[in-house]
Amino acid sequence: MKLCFATNNAHKITEVQQLLGNAFEIVSLQDIGCTEELPETQETLEGNARQKAEFVYQHYQVDCFADDTGLEIEALHGEPGVYSARYAGSQRSSQANMQKVLNNLEGIENRKAQFRTIISLILEGKFHIFEGAVVGTIAQQPSGQQGFGYDPIFIPEGHEQSFAEMSLEEKNQISHRGRAVQKLVDFLKNH
Ligand code: ITT
């Protein structure tokens, strides 16, 4: 089965393809000839995930899904949340975003956080939604080279290492995206 993954983030494609295995083939935006920037102007993860998938479905008429993810930090009242990509500005720099988080948490003891992913699927014209989350803490400093985005400063609960110190398989087993994709796979297998 072929499904378009409506994302411009190559890291997400790598993670999700590993989870989907051979039963599903991911088609990229490039594969369907979509070179425009996907609109992402909503104020919730749900809204953005839906907006990205609907854009692709309306313009290209293919079955597709989109992922919107946010890092929600308790002591920062859920920030950066839906604004995770541009937290430190429009240059979308992971280094600057992580530094802003660390600066804002300086001197604050509560470092609890969660990653939350919403996946929206449009299959045969019908809309479906799946959610995955993982709780953890924000480290004092970045560590690790794997993964992407905020991975070097996020330590999932029950672990000592950041997501960026884990292999792709280890992260996928416990991550927000891994959990949301598992729900997507269960749905597709029963469809
Ligand atoms: P698309 O919208 O094209 O899918 P994006 O990178 O803009 O790609 P999001 O809006 O979902 O994706 O990402 C929000 C931010 O959260 C962005 O800065 C990512 O680097 C970061 N992020 C998303 N998933 C992550 C993960 O699994 N680990 C660490 N950071 C992540």
Side-chain angles (χ1 to χ4, degrees), residues 48-81:
N48 279 336
R50 183 170 189 141
Q51 191 178 22
K52 288 187 267 191
E54 274 176 350
F55 179 88
V56 169
Y57 185 70
Q58 278 164 9
H59 290 81
Y60 298 90
Q61 286 84 43
V62 292
D63 291 332
C64 62
F65 67 99
D67 156 325
D68 206 49
T69 295
L71 175 63
E72 300 171 335
I73 300 174
E74 198 172 272
L76 303 180
H77 314 288
E79 273 190 20

Side-chain angles (χ1 to χ4, degrees), residues 112-115 133-137 154-158 163 174 179:
K112 283 189 204 153
Q114 69 169 357
F115 269 120
V134 57
V135 297
T137 52
F154 185 84
I155 302 175
E157 193 174 70
F163 268 157
I174 54 172
R179 289 174 177 162

Side-chain angles (χ1 to χ4, degrees), residues 5-12 15 29 38 40 45 48 52 66-71 81-87 92-94 97 115-117 147-152 154 163 171 175-177:
F5 187 3
T7 182
N8 286 307
N9 184 327
H11 296 283
K12 287 186 183 177
E15 287 189 3
L29 290 173
L38 300 178
E40 231 180 316
L45 298 178
N48 279 336
K52 288 187 267 191
D67 156 325
D68 206 49
T69 295
L71 175 63
V82 72
Y83 305 109
S84 293
R86 297 180 172 81
Y87 193 41
R92 302 168 65 105
S93 153
S94 293
N97 288 341
F115 269 120
R116 201 158 64 86
T117 288
F148 66 99
Y150 295 90
D151 280 344
F154 185 84
F163 268 157
K171 179 185 171 189
S175 79
H176 45 302
R177 182 167 299 102

Side-chain angles (χ1 to χ4, degrees), residues 71-74 76 97-115 135-144 149-157 159-166:
L71 175 63
E72 300 171 335
I73 300 174
E74 198 172 272
L76 303 180
N97 288 341
M98 285 192 289
Q99 200 49 57
K100 183 167 176 183
V101 166
L102 294 177
N103 291 346
N104 286 347
L105 283 180
E106 219 175 292
I108 297 178
E109 223 162 274
N110 176 9
R111 302 183 78 89
K112 283 189 204 153
Q114 69 169 357
F115 269 120
V135 297
T137 52
I138 300 299
Q140 297 294 338
Q141 61 203 22
S143 51
Y150 295 90
D151 280 344
I153 58 167
F154 185 84
I155 302 175
E157 193 174 70
H159 295 260
E160 307 270 296
Q161 294 178 312
S162 76
F163 268 157
E165 294 177 293
M166 296 182 180

Side-chain angles (χ1 to χ4, degrees), residues 16 19-20 65 67 117 119 130 176-186:
V16 172
L19 285 159
L20 291 184
F65 67 99
D67 156 325
T117 288
I119 289 180
F130 308 94
H176 45 302
R177 182 167 299 102
R179 289 174 177 162
V181 171
Q182 197 50 57
K183 291 181 188 171
L184 170 71
V185 169
D186 292 345

